């Protein structure tokens, strides 16, 4: 599958669509999910276009991978999620029920999230 430059997160990254920005660095962006499933529901995305996790980990530079992980770590620490706990999810493809075809990690917390999969 070819990456579609017109997906909704690509437009947010290009600032063609608004978002509730949490934090960003050179290669990654974090913003609030528009329809939160938990008190804290943040999406962490690489700025460059990768469809999913295996594309990212296969093709991204070390700087891109580091920046995304650094951004995730800083948000976890700043929101004190390291004390309370949290969940990181990335949905991929059909079985993962991925809706937006730009890699994103859901960072969820702020309450007990229950079972991982029902
Ligand atoms: P997926 O099912 O692909 O893992 O998750 C896509 C997520 O993107 C969903 O949680 C959905 O609420 C969120 N989302 C969809 N459109 C927008 C949007 O325009 N802005 C923001 N901030 N989140 C969105």
């Amino acid at each position: 599958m070819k990456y579609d430059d017109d997906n909704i997160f690509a437009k947010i990254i290009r600032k063609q669509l608004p978002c509730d920005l949490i934090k960003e660095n050179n290669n990654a962006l974090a913003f609030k999910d528009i329809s939160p499933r938990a008190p804290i529901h943040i999406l962490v995305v690489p700025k460059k276009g990768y469809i999913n996790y295996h594309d990212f980990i296969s093709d991204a530079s070390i700087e891109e991978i580091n920046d995304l992980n650094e951004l995730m770590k800083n948000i976890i620490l700043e929101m004190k999620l390291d004390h309370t706990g949290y969940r990181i999810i990335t949905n991929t493809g059909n079985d993962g029920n991925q809706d937006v075809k730009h890699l994103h990690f859901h960072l969820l917390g702020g309450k007990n999230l229950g079972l991982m999969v029902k």
Side-chain angles (χ1 to χ4, degrees), residues 61-78:
S61 67
I62 292 295
E63 289 75 20
E64 288 173 90
I65 294 170
N66 283 347
D67 275 2
L68 189 136
N69 282 299
E70 186 70 17
L71 190 64
M72 183 76 84
K73 182 190 79 177
N74 288 336
I75 295 167
I76 288 167
L77 295 179
E78 282 166 21

Side-chain angles (χ1 to χ4, degrees), residues 24-42:
E24 69 180 308
N25 60 26
N26 282 345
N27 292 300
L29 184 75
F31 52 95
K32 288 188 186 172
D33 195 293
I34 204 164
S35 124
R37 265 54 156 225
I40 295 171
H41 188 169
I42 294 167

Side-chain angles (χ1 to χ4, degrees), residues 8-9 12 31-35 37 41 43 91 97-100 104 106:
I8 213 146
F9 292 171
I12 287 175
F31 52 95
K32 288 188 186 172
D33 195 293
I34 204 164
S35 124
R37 265 54 156 225
H41 188 169
L43 299 170
N91 296 316
N97 249 0
Q98 180 179 9
D99 184 18
V100 180
H104 51 283
H106 299 260

